Amino acid sequence: DVKVTQSSRYLVKRTGEKVFLECVQDMDHENMFWYRQDPGLGLRLIYFSYDVKMKEKGDIPEGYSVSREKKERFSLILESASTNQTSMYLCASSPGPLNRWDTEAFFGQGTRLTVV
Amino acid sequence: GESVGLHLPTLSVQEGDNSIINCAYSNSASDYFIWYKQESGKGPQFIIDIRSNMDKRQGQRVTVLLNKTVKHLSLQIAATQPGDSAVYFCAETGTGFQKLVFGTGTRLLVSP
Protein backbone atom coordinates (compact mmCIF):
# COMPACT_ATOMS: atom_id res chain seq x y z
CA ASP A 1 0.00 0.00 0.00
CA VAL A 2 1.11 3.50 -0.76
CA LYS A 3 1.73 5.45 2.35
CA VAL A 4 1.86 9.21 2.59
CA THR A 5 2.75 10.32 6.08
CA GLN A 6 2.46 13.80 7.48
CA SER A 7 4.59 14.47 10.51
CA SER A 8 1.90 16.02 12.69
CA ARG A 9 -1.86 15.60 13.01
CA TYR A 10 -2.33 18.80 14.99
CA LEU A 11 -0.17 21.89 15.38
CA VAL A 12 -0.70 25.14 17.22
CA LYS A 13 1.66 27.99 16.36
CA ARG A 14 1.89 31.65 17.16
CA THR A 15 1.55 34.46 14.64
CA GLY A 16 4.90 35.26 13.08
CA GLU A 17 6.46 31.86 13.75
CA LYS A 18 8.17 29.92 11.00
CA VAL A 19 6.31 26.65 10.53
CA PHE A 20 7.45 23.48 8.82
CA LEU A 21 5.01 20.81 7.69
CA GLU A 22 6.67 17.60 6.63
CA CYS A 23 5.42 14.91 4.27
CA VAL A 24 7.02 11.61 3.36
CA GLN A 25 5.89 9.04 0.79
CA ASP A 26 7.24 5.53 0.48
CA MET A 27 6.36 4.61 -3.11
CA ASP A 28 9.07 6.42 -5.05
CA HIS A 29 6.50 8.76 -6.59
CA GLU A 30 7.73 11.53 -8.82
CA ASN A 31 5.07 14.07 -7.92
CA MET A 32 4.14 15.54 -4.59
CA PHE A 33 1.56 18.16 -3.70
CA TRP A 34 0.48 20.40 -0.87
CA TYR A 35 -3.18 21.41 -0.56
CA ARG A 36 -5.09 23.30 2.05
CA GLN A 37 -8.67 22.40 2.83
CA ASP A 38 -11.15 24.93 4.16
CA PRO A 39 -14.91 24.63 4.71
CA GLY A 40 -16.84 25.73 1.67
CA LEU A 41 -13.71 26.09 -0.44
CA GLY A 42 -12.65 22.49 -0.93
CA LEU A 43 -9.06 21.59 -1.62
CA ARG A 44 -6.82 24.26 -3.07
CA LEU A 45 -3.37 23.59 -4.45
CA ILE A 46 -0.56 25.52 -2.80
CA TYR A 47 2.54 24.06 -4.44
CA PHE A 48 3.59 20.92 -6.20
CA SER A 49 6.84 19.27 -7.20
CA TYR A 50 7.44 16.90 -10.10
CA ASP A 51 11.05 16.11 -9.27
CA VAL A 52 13.70 16.61 -6.65
CA LYS A 53 14.52 20.29 -6.22
CA MET A 54 11.74 21.24 -8.63
CA LYS A 55 8.69 23.17 -7.53
CA GLU A 56 5.74 24.85 -9.15
CA LYS A 57 3.23 27.29 -7.72
CA GLY A 58 -0.33 26.20 -7.38
CA ASP A 59 -3.37 28.40 -6.97
CA ILE A 60 -2.56 29.96 -3.60
CA PRO A 61 1.23 30.05 -3.07
CA GLU A 62 1.36 33.40 -1.27
CA GLY A 63 2.78 33.11 2.21
CA TYR A 64 4.16 29.63 1.58
CA SER A 65 7.31 28.05 0.24
CA VAL A 66 8.33 24.44 -0.28
CA SER A 67 11.41 22.28 -0.28
CA ARG A 68 12.08 18.97 -2.02
CA GLU A 69 15.65 17.91 -1.30
CA LYS A 70 14.89 14.20 -1.47
CA LYS A 71 12.40 12.37 -3.64
CA GLU A 72 10.42 10.98 -0.75
CA ARG A 73 10.08 14.19 1.24
CA PHE A 74 8.20 17.38 0.50
CA SER A 75 8.11 20.17 3.05
CA LEU A 76 5.72 23.07 3.26
CA ILE A 77 7.05 26.19 4.96
CA LEU A 78 5.09 29.07 6.37
CA GLU A 79 7.73 31.78 6.61
CA SER A 80 5.72 33.90 9.05
CA ALA A 81 2.52 32.24 10.12
CA SER A 82 -0.65 34.30 10.13
CA THR A 83 -4.11 33.56 11.48
CA ASN A 84 -5.55 33.25 7.97
CA GLN A 85 -3.29 30.25 7.46
CA THR A 86 -5.24 28.31 10.06
CA SER A 87 -6.44 25.35 8.02
CA MET A 88 -6.19 21.64 7.29
CA TYR A 89 -3.12 20.91 5.19
CA LEU A 90 -3.04 17.83 3.00
CA CYS A 91 -0.04 16.34 1.30
CA ALA A 92 -0.41 14.03 -1.70
CA SER A 93 1.80 12.09 -4.05
CA SER A 94 1.32 10.48 -7.43
CA PRO A 95 3.49 8.39 -9.74
CA GLY A 96 2.85 10.59 -12.76
CA PRO A 97 0.84 13.49 -14.14
CA LEU A 98 -2.58 13.68 -12.54
CA ASN A 99 -4.45 13.88 -15.82
CA ARG A 100 -3.13 10.54 -16.93
CA TRP A 101 -5.68 7.77 -16.95
CA ASP A 102 -3.85 5.35 -14.70
CA THR A 103 -2.53 7.87 -12.25
CA GLU A 104 -4.11 8.71 -8.95
CA ALA A 105 -3.13 10.93 -6.07
CA PHE A 106 -2.64 9.40 -2.64
CA PHE A 107 -3.25 11.67 0.30
CA GLY A 108 -1.83 11.85 3.78
CA GLN A 109 -4.08 12.08 6.81
CA GLY A 110 -3.75 15.84 7.06
CA THR A 111 -2.29 18.32 9.51
CA ARG A 112 -4.69 20.65 11.24
CA LEU A 113 -2.77 23.85 11.85
CA THR A 114 -4.06 26.56 14.16
CA VAL A 115 -2.28 29.91 14.21
CA VAL A 116 -3.04 32.00 17.26
CA GLY B 1 -12.62 30.67 -14.34
CA GLU B 2 -12.51 27.02 -13.51
CA SER B 3 -14.90 25.72 -10.94
CA VAL B 4 -16.26 22.43 -9.81
CA GLY B 5 -19.33 22.53 -7.63
CA LEU B 6 -21.80 20.27 -5.91
CA HIS B 7 -25.55 20.74 -5.81
CA LEU B 8 -26.19 19.35 -2.32
CA PRO B 9 -23.91 19.97 0.61
CA THR B 10 -25.48 17.18 2.72
CA LEU B 11 -27.25 14.03 1.66
CA SER B 12 -29.01 11.84 4.22
CA VAL B 13 -30.04 8.31 3.26
CA GLN B 14 -31.16 5.12 4.94
CA GLU B 15 -28.93 2.07 5.00
CA GLY B 16 -29.63 -0.04 1.96
CA ASP B 17 -30.81 2.84 -0.19
CA ASN B 18 -29.01 3.92 -3.32
CA SER B 19 -27.24 7.28 -3.09
CA ILE B 20 -26.59 9.75 -5.85
CA ILE B 21 -24.11 12.57 -5.41
CA ASN B 22 -23.99 15.21 -8.11
CA CYS B 23 -21.30 17.53 -9.37
CA ALA B 24 -21.26 20.30 -11.97
CA TYR B 25 -18.06 21.32 -13.67
CA SER B 26 -17.28 24.31 -15.81
CA ASN B 27 -14.21 23.42 -17.87
CA SER B 28 -15.43 21.73 -21.03
CA ALA B 29 -11.80 20.90 -21.88
CA SER B 30 -11.34 18.68 -18.83
CA ASP B 31 -10.32 15.20 -19.83
CA TYR B 32 -10.41 13.31 -16.60
CA PHE B 33 -12.72 13.24 -13.59
CA ILE B 34 -12.27 11.60 -10.23
CA TRP B 35 -14.36 10.97 -7.15
CA TYR B 36 -12.71 10.99 -3.74
CA LYS B 37 -14.08 9.93 -0.38
CA GLN B 38 -12.91 11.59 2.81
CA GLU B 39 -13.77 10.04 6.14
CA SER B 40 -13.56 12.05 9.31
CA GLY B 41 -9.96 12.59 10.38
CA LYS B 42 -8.49 11.14 7.20
CA GLY B 43 -7.20 12.36 3.89
CA PRO B 44 -9.21 11.93 0.67
CA GLN B 45 -9.19 8.46 -0.81
CA PHE B 46 -9.62 7.66 -4.50
CA ILE B 47 -12.91 5.93 -5.34
CA ILE B 48 -13.36 5.88 -9.08
CA ASP B 49 -12.43 7.87 -12.15
CA ILE B 50 -13.71 8.40 -15.67
CA ARG B 51 -12.32 9.88 -18.84
CA SER B 52 -14.13 12.36 -21.02
CA ASN B 53 -14.58 9.82 -23.82
CA MET B 54 -16.71 7.67 -21.52
CA ASP B 55 -20.30 8.09 -20.32
CA LYS B 56 -20.28 5.56 -17.53
CA ARG B 57 -17.89 3.53 -15.46
CA GLN B 58 -18.68 0.97 -12.81
CA GLY B 59 -16.75 -0.16 -9.80
CA GLN B 60 -17.68 -2.20 -6.79
CA ARG B 61 -21.05 -0.77 -5.66
CA VAL B 62 -20.18 2.57 -7.28
CA THR B 63 -20.97 3.97 -10.69
CA VAL B 64 -19.85 7.27 -12.14
CA LEU B 65 -21.86 8.91 -14.90
CA LEU B 66 -20.58 11.71 -17.08
CA ASN B 67 -22.80 13.97 -19.14
CA LYS B 68 -20.55 16.25 -21.14
CA THR B 69 -23.44 18.05 -22.79
CA VAL B 70 -24.49 19.64 -19.53
CA LYS B 71 -21.10 19.27 -17.80
CA HIS B 72 -22.45 17.09 -15.06
CA LEU B 73 -20.90 14.25 -13.12
CA SER B 74 -22.59 11.94 -10.66
CA LEU B 75 -21.54 9.22 -8.26
CA GLN B 76 -24.03 6.46 -7.55
CA ILE B 77 -23.52 4.22 -4.54
CA ALA B 78 -25.63 1.08 -4.46
CA ALA B 79 -26.96 -0.37 -1.21
CA THR B 80 -25.43 2.39 0.88
CA GLN B 81 -23.84 1.27 4.13
CA PRO B 82 -22.99 3.18 7.33
CA GLY B 83 -19.33 2.89 6.34
CA ASP B 84 -20.10 5.01 3.29
CA SER B 85 -20.73 8.03 5.53
CA ALA B 86 -18.12 10.57 4.51
CA VAL B 87 -17.57 13.68 2.45
CA TYR B 88 -17.35 13.03 -1.26
CA PHE B 89 -15.42 15.27 -3.63
CA CYS B 90 -15.41 15.38 -7.36
CA ALA B 91 -12.32 16.62 -9.14
CA GLU B 92 -11.47 17.42 -12.72
CA THR B 93 -8.25 18.03 -14.53
CA GLY B 94 -7.79 21.75 -14.81
CA THR B 95 -5.48 23.60 -17.12
CA GLY B 96 -2.00 22.24 -16.79
CA PHE B 97 -1.15 18.59 -16.55
CA GLN B 98 -0.69 18.58 -12.82
CA LYS B 99 -3.75 20.41 -11.75
CA LEU B 100 -6.83 18.85 -10.22
CA VAL B 101 -9.71 21.19 -9.48
CA PHE B 102 -11.76 19.96 -6.55
CA GLY B 103 -15.36 20.59 -5.71
CA THR B 104 -16.38 21.77 -2.26
CA GLY B 105 -17.70 18.36 -1.23
CA THR B 106 -20.98 16.68 -0.28
CA ARG B 107 -21.45 15.07 3.09
CA LEU B 108 -23.22 11.71 2.92
CA LEU B 109 -24.95 10.59 6.11
CA VAL B 110 -26.17 7.01 6.25
CA SER B 111 -28.68 6.10 8.95
CA PRO B 112 -29.05 2.48 10.10
Side-chain angles (χ1 to χ4, degrees), chain A residues 9, chain B residues 38-42 85-87 107:
Chain A
R9 290 295 300 272
Chain B
Q38 186 175 22
E39 297 175 272
S40 181
K42 297 183 179 179
S85 293
V87 176
R107 183 174 300 279

Side-chain angles (χ1 to χ4, degrees), chain A residues 15-66:
Chain A
T15 301
E17 276 193 80
K18 190 168 186 176
V19 182
F20 293 86
L21 302 183
E22 305 287 347
C23 176
V24 176
Q25 50 94 4
D26 65 359
M27 283 301 290
D28 201 36
H29 284 172
E30 302 291 331
N31 303 324
M32 296 188 74
F33 309 83
W34 275 105
Y35 291 87
R36 64 177 283 178
Q37 183 177 28
D38 300 288
L41 296 176
L43 278 74
R44 293 179 292 167
L45 182 63
I46 304 171
Y47 267 98
F48 67 94
S49 169
Y50 54 89
D51 201 354
V52 175
K53 296 191 186 295
M54 304 303 290
K55 61 184 179 183
E56 293 286 344
K57 293 180 180 179
D59 296 318
I60 51 165
E62 296 78 19
Y64 303 95
S65 62
V66 290

Side-chain angles (χ1 to χ4, degrees), chain B residues 4-25:
Chain B
V4 178
L6 294 171
H7 297 307
L8 298 174
T10 302
L11 177 64
S12 297
V13 301
Q14 293 288 118
E15 182 178 0
D17 287 352
N18 295 332
S19 303
I20 300 176
I21 300 171
N22 296 303
C23 178
Y25 65 93

Side-chain angles (χ1 to χ4, degrees), chain A residues 9 37 59 98 101 104 108, chain B residues 32 38 41 43 46 51 89 99:
Chain A
R9 290 295 300 272
Q37 183 177 28
D59 296 318
L98 288 178
W101 174 236
E104 64 175 273
Chain B
Y32 183 45
Q38 186 175 22
F46 173 93
R51 290 200 70 172
F89 295 92
K99 189 173 177 180

Side-chain angles (χ1 to χ4, degrees), chain A residues 53-82:
Chain A
K53 296 191 186 295
M54 304 303 290
K55 61 184 179 183
E56 293 286 344
K57 293 180 180 179
D59 296 318
I60 51 165
E62 296 78 19
Y64 303 95
S65 62
V66 290
S67 173
R68 186 128 182 241
E69 296 297 318
K70 293 184 178 181
K71 191 175 187 179
E72 67 270 19
R73 187 179 297 271
F74 192 36
S75 303
L76 179 69
I77 304 155
L78 287 66
E79 295 290 341
S80 178
S82 63

Side-chain angles (χ1 to χ4, degrees), chain A residues 9 39 63 111 114:
Chain A
R9 290 295 300 272
T111 297
T114 302

